[in-house]
Amino acid sequence: MQNIVSTGIENALLMRALRGEEVSRPPVWMMRQAGRYLPDYMKLRAKYSFFERVETPELATEITVMPVDQVGVDAAIIFSDILVIPQALDFEVTINPGEGPRLPRTVQTEADVDNIVVSDIEDRLHYVMDALRLTRSTLPADVPLIGFAGAPWTLLCYMVEGQGSKNFAKAKAFCFTQPKAGHKLLQKITDATILYLKAQMEAGANLLQLFDSWGGLLAPNDFMEFSLPYLKQIVEALKPHPMILFAKGCSHAYPEFTASGAAAIGVDWGVRPGEARKLAGNDITLQGNFDPSRLLGPIPEIERMTREMVEGFGTQKYIANLGHGILPNVPVDHAKAFIDTIKSFG
Amino acid sequence: MQNIVSTGIENALLMRALRGEEVSRPPVWMMRQAGRYLPDYMKLRAKYSFFERVETPELATEITVMPVDQVGVDAAIIFSDILVIPQALDFEVTINPGEGPRLPRTVQTEADVDNIVVSDIEDRLHYVMDALRLTRSTLPADVPLIGFAGAPWTLLCYMVEGQGSKNFAKAKAFCFTQPKAGHKLLQKITDATILYLKAQMEAGANLLQLFDSWGGLLAPNDFMEFSLPYLKQIVEALKPHPMILFAKGCSHAYPEFTASGAAAIGVDWGVRPGEARKLAGNDITLQGNFDPSRLLGPIPEIERMTREMVEGFGTQKYIANLGHGILPNVPVDHAKAFIDTIKSFG
């Protein structure tokens, strides 16, 4: 029997849109909505290191709830990082402000993969689950809480390369020259991710998103070999929980995403709304895809382009969002103009 | 009246493919074919700075001809850099090995744009034309010589940002918040580029390629506003000389590229051959699109995937190439395996 809280959640616009049910207007949230464009976030950032913020449930909760209160988004996404999975697999991650992440331990050979042990994921990442529980009890009962993880391919990129890269050529070379080792590593990451996402749902997440930030670095056939099968495994293992697949630069794979049973496809700003719908078909919800750089322009332009975007996607089976994470230098009232324009469709 | 040299050139596979004429097999060359994967190039790189190599016609010629002799490509592309245009507009460019390019002077305001003077482009870049003349007289008479330039949008990215960037958010913000200044700058770059490419043709180039490396950072509608009109101006101004448009991540614009009167579209590895043909239609030649990272894998795989690529594109109205520049760590015999597989279609 469902309790009052989950009934409230299940009627939320976002949950309805994910099930393809009729909505009065599209729900809206923004990737990286709990981020550097918010002055209150910057205050916490000045006081606590990145991992202090991620690993202290009270801080993660405060940050997660912030954009719900301050810009009025319809859902919260837990403040965390995709690299907690490599951390839980004993790959240290350091993040210095202004630099990208660094992983001193990397994977270069099949033996390196064999040395990776998948165990106690839920225990290693207990602070995420603690933050989810605290956030769930802090958020209004009708505001969905989004859990997330990085896609196995994207995490492999970091675990092989040891840092960010323009083309992740080392990661690709690893998979192309040692495909057996590549697939073994992807499977281990997948196993860990499934445990992690199940724990997130148990701890209070209401839906999930997978981020395949570097899926577009793979040619279509290579994406089908090194990314898609693992995304499908994760979607399958988490059923019936709703999953949003966001794979940047991978519109070629939308038909497969629809067939996977995912609840929604996150569309990046490189794809026109009509084209995304054509590729994905009519049986899945789409999410996206405002170019975050466009939030730097004047507010009347933001309003006009936001309306154009909704007209392109339609108001049903649609979740309004950016096509990538919000930029640090976006003025808060510009972000609000985006949100308010979506709400004006109600 | 055509002389013997130009008659030889006009019958070359590449020139025939650009005109859509029947060929016995697809012509083949590789983006960045005169590059760091060649041991003889590395010897010159150890002795001379980047700009010494670019600005000394004897060195540029030696480097340009190298891959014709050593890996057997069907065409040479002049050794130079897209950033010579900003240089000719008085924007100093420094390149330190291991770092990307840096431009100490940048464009931030409309006044900065107004201060840019387009004049004496041919004179400022005489060393490129000298290198083209020397290369043309050095190359076998039937091997086409490719001239090139950066697309105006891509050059704007560097002139505003002052260095490479993952998302060129500053360059986009400049265009979105000061569109008038953005268009003025794009027009000045376009004017300079037209002068430059005309001079290249007069100095011995047989065809041209425009590189819009960062076109894919623009959403489709923004590409139509800030990149396409300038590409079209350049194609138009250079007619009847054959132009290849290579815009990474811009397959959405292929119909417009075909309509522009360009001779060919350079396809990146993110697009399936059949999809590229569908988007571009049947009236234009396609070029591409082997993933350079795949040249790191075993030779039998390279041969198999190269054949697959040609089967996807077909042997007519097609120029075999990579989908992006060759990587420094590709073994020379792997590059040769790619070239030889294409030649086996003859």
Side-chain angles (χ1 to χ4, degrees):
Chain A
M1 210 179 80
Q2 290 191 305
N3 60 24
I4 292 162
V5 173
S6 73
T7 304
I9 286 294
E10 293 307 324
N11 277 325
L13 287 171
L14 177 58
M15 305 308 287
R16 294 183 61 87
L18 285 167
R19 292 191 302 265
E21 295 171 9
E22 204 182 312
V23 288
S24 53
R25 66 160 173 87
V28 57
W29 66 283
M30 297 184 297
M31 289 190 278
R32 281 214 197 126
Q33 62 189 15
R36 284 186 276 161
Y37 74 107
L38 288 174
D40 285 340
Y41 175 81
M42 292 306 282
K43 285 181 202 154
L44 293 176
R45 194 166 175 265
K47 274 171 75 177
Y48 306 99
S49 77
F50 180 73
F51 284 113
E52 278 175 307
R53 279 170 278 141
V54 165
E55 293 170 13
T56 310
E58 291 73 19
L59 289 174
T61 295
E62 184 180 347
I63 294 168
T64 301
V65 175
M66 209 177 265
V68 178
D69 294 338
Q70 300 192 357
V71 295
V73 289
D74 291 319
I77 179 163
I78 192 69
F79 180 75
S80 187
D81 193 89
I82 63 169
L83 295 178
V84 297
I85 282 289
Q87 284 180 318
L89 297 174
D90 276 327
F91 287 71
E92 190 200 345
V93 178
T94 59
I95 297 189
N96 297 321
E99 273 184 34
R102 303 263 168 174
L103 287 74
R105 177 185 170 191
T106 62
V107 175
Q108 303 301 330
T109 64
E110 190 170 347
D112 293 341
V113 180
D114 291 335
N115 284 332
I116 298 171
V117 180
V118 181
S119 73
D120 303 324
I121 296 296
E122 187 173 356
D123 191 49
R124 300 285 295 261
L125 301 177
H126 66 89
Y127 55 85
V128 180
M129 274 45 89
D130 292 343
L132 282 161
R133 272 183 288 268
L134 184 57
T135 304
R136 186 59 279 167
S137 68
T138 307
L139 274 178
D142 57 349
V143 174
L145 174 57
I146 307 168
F148 73 90
W153 161 253
T154 288
L155 295 180
L156 175 145
C157 281
Y158 288 103
M159 291 172 76
V160 172
E161 203 97 18
Q163 60 185 71
S165 160
K166 224 165 57 177
N167 53 15
F168 283 98
K170 269 189 218 170
K172 289 171 73 172
F174 174 73
C175 287
F176 296 164
T177 57
Q178 304 178 71
K180 193 173 151 225
H183 282 292
K184 251 194 203 176
L185 175 53
L186 289 162
Q187 191 58 55
K188 286 193 173 187
I189 299 170
T190 301
D191 295 343
T193 302
I194 289 170
L195 293 170
Y196 177 47
L197 291 176
K198 284 186 174 175
Q200 289 193 40
M201 288 302 302
E202 279 164 28
N206 303 107
L207 69 145
L208 300 164
Q209 178 158 316
L210 274 175
F211 288 85
D212 204 357
S213 312
W214 306 124
L217 297 179
L218 291 169
N221 288 350
D222 294 327
F223 183 85
M224 296 307 159
E225 177 174 354
F226 294 104
S227 182
L228 182 71
Y230 304 97
L231 299 176
K232 282 166 70 175
Q233 273 189 51
I234 296 169
V235 171
E236 195 57 46
L238 269 296
K239 278 181 186 169
H241 301 309
M243 177 80 73
I244 304 170
L245 293 179
F246 176 69
K248 200 164 170 287
C250 299
S251 58
H252 63 83
Y254 287 1
E256 284 79 6
F257 289 174
T258 299
S260 74
I265 297 174
V267 179
D268 61 77
W269 42 256
V271 192
R272 287 200 178 91
E275 178 66 14
R277 178 52 77 194
K278 212 167 74 186
L279 288 164
N282 294 321
D283 295 335
I284 194 163
T285 295
L286 297 179
Q287 170 178 283
N289 75 343
F290 203 82
D291 181 351
S293 292
R294 274 288 181 189
L295 291 182
L296 299 168
I299 285 179
E301 283 269 291
I302 294 171
E303 294 170 340
R304 182 181 61 74
M305 298 180 77
T306 304
R307 280 192 299 268
E308 252 177 50
M309 173 184 76
V310 178
E311 281 151 22
F313 280 108
T315 58
Q316 304 301 310
K317 284 192 181 170
Y318 172 55
I319 301 160
N321 204 320
L322 307 179
H324 202 233
I326 191 166
L327 298 166
N329 54 338
V330 169
V332 174
D333 58 332
H334 288 212
K336 265 191 189 146
F338 171 73
I339 304 288
D340 289 344
T341 305
I342 299 298
K343 290 187 170 174
S344 74
F345 280 85
Chain B
M1 210 180 82
Q2 292 191 304
N3 61 23
I4 292 164
V5 172
S6 76
T7 304
I9 287 292
E10 293 307 323
N11 279 325
L13 287 171
L14 178 58
M15 305 308 287
R16 294 183 61 86
L18 285 168
R19 293 192 301 265
E21 295 172 9
E22 204 181 312
V23 289
S24 53
R25 65 161 173 88
V28 58
W29 66 283
M30 296 183 297
M31 290 190 277
R32 282 213 196 126
Q33 64 189 12
R36 285 186 276 163
Y37 73 105
L38 288 174
D40 285 341
Y41 175 81
M42 291 306 283
K43 284 181 201 152
L44 293 176
R45 194 167 176 266
K47 273 171 77 178
Y48 306 99
S49 77
F50 181 73
F51 284 113
E52 279 175 307
R53 280 171 275 142
V54 165
E55 292 170 13
T56 310
E58 291 72 18
L59 289 174
T61 294
E62 184 180 346
I63 293 169
T64 302
V65 175
M66 210 176 262
V68 178
D69 294 338
Q70 300 192 358
V71 295
V73 288
D74 290 319
I77 178 164
I78 191 68
F79 181 75
S80 187
D81 194 89
I82 62 169
L83 295 178
V84 296
I85 283 288
Q87 284 181 318
L89 298 174
D90 276 328
F91 287 71
E92 189 200 344
V93 178
T94 59
I95 297 189
N96 297 321
E99 272 183 34
R102 302 264 168 174
L103 287 74
R105 176 185 171 193
T106 62
V107 175
Q108 304 301 328
T109 64
E110 190 170 347
D112 293 343
V113 180
D114 291 335
N115 285 333
I116 298 172
V117 180
V118 181
S119 74
D120 303 325
I121 296 297
E122 186 173 356
D123 192 50
R124 300 286 294 263
L125 300 178
H126 66 89
Y127 55 85
V128 180
M129 275 43 91
D130 293 344
L132 282 161
R133 273 183 286 269
L134 184 58
T135 303
R136 185 59 279 166
S137 69
T138 306
L139 274 178
D142 58 349
V143 174
L145 174 56
I146 307 169
F148 72 91
W153 161 253
T154 289
L155 294 180
L156 175 145
C157 281
Y158 288 103
M159 291 172 75
V160 173
E161 203 98 16
Q163 60 185 71
S165 160
K166 222 165 59 176
N167 54 14
F168 283 98
K170 270 189 218 171
K172 290 171 72 173
F174 175 73
C175 287
F176 296 163
T177 57
Q178 305 178 71
K180 195 175 149 223
H183 283 293
K184 252 193 202 177
L185 176 54
L186 290 162
Q187 191 56 56
K188 284 193 174 186
I189 299 169
T190 300
D191 295 343
T193 302
I194 288 170
L195 293 170
Y196 177 47
L197 291 177
K198 283 185 174 173
Q200 289 193 41
M201 288 302 303
E202 279 164 29
N206 304 105
L207 69 145
L208 300 165
Q209 178 158 317
L210 274 175
F211 289 84
D212 204 356
S213 312
W214 306 124
L217 297 179
L218 290 169
N221 288 349
D222 294 326
F223 183 85
M224 296 308 159
E225 177 174 354
F226 293 104
S227 182
L228 182 70
Y230 303 97
L231 299 176
K232 282 165 71 176
Q233 273 189 52
I234 296 169
V235 171
E236 194 58 44
L238 268 297
K239 278 178 186 173
H241 302 308
M243 177 80 72
I244 304 169
L245 294 179
F246 176 70
K248 199 165 170 287
C250 299
S251 59
H252 63 84
Y254 288 0
E256 283 80 5
F257 289 174
T258 299
S260 75
I265 297 173
V267 179
D268 62 76
W269 42 256
V271 191
R272 286 201 179 90
E275 177 66 13
R277 179 50 79 194
K278 213 167 74 184
L279 289 164
N282 294 322
D283 295 336
I284 194 163
T285 295
L286 297 179
Q287 170 177 283
N289 72 343
F290 203 81
D291 181 350
S293 292
R294 274 289 182 190
L295 291 182
L296 298 168
I299 285 179
E301 284 268 291
I302 293 171
E303 294 170 340
R304 182 181 61 75
M305 296 180 79
T306 304
R307 280 192 299 269
E308 250 177 51
M309 175 185 73
V310 178
E311 282 152 21
F313 281 107
T315 57
Q316 304 300 311
K317 286 194 180 168
Y318 173 56
I319 301 160
N321 203 320
L322 308 179
H324 202 236
I326 191 166
L327 298 167
N329 54 337
V330 169
V332 174
D333 59 332
H334 288 214
K336 265 191 190 146
F338 171 73
I339 305 289
D340 290 343
T341 305
I342 299 297
K343 290 187 169 173
S344 75
F345 279 86

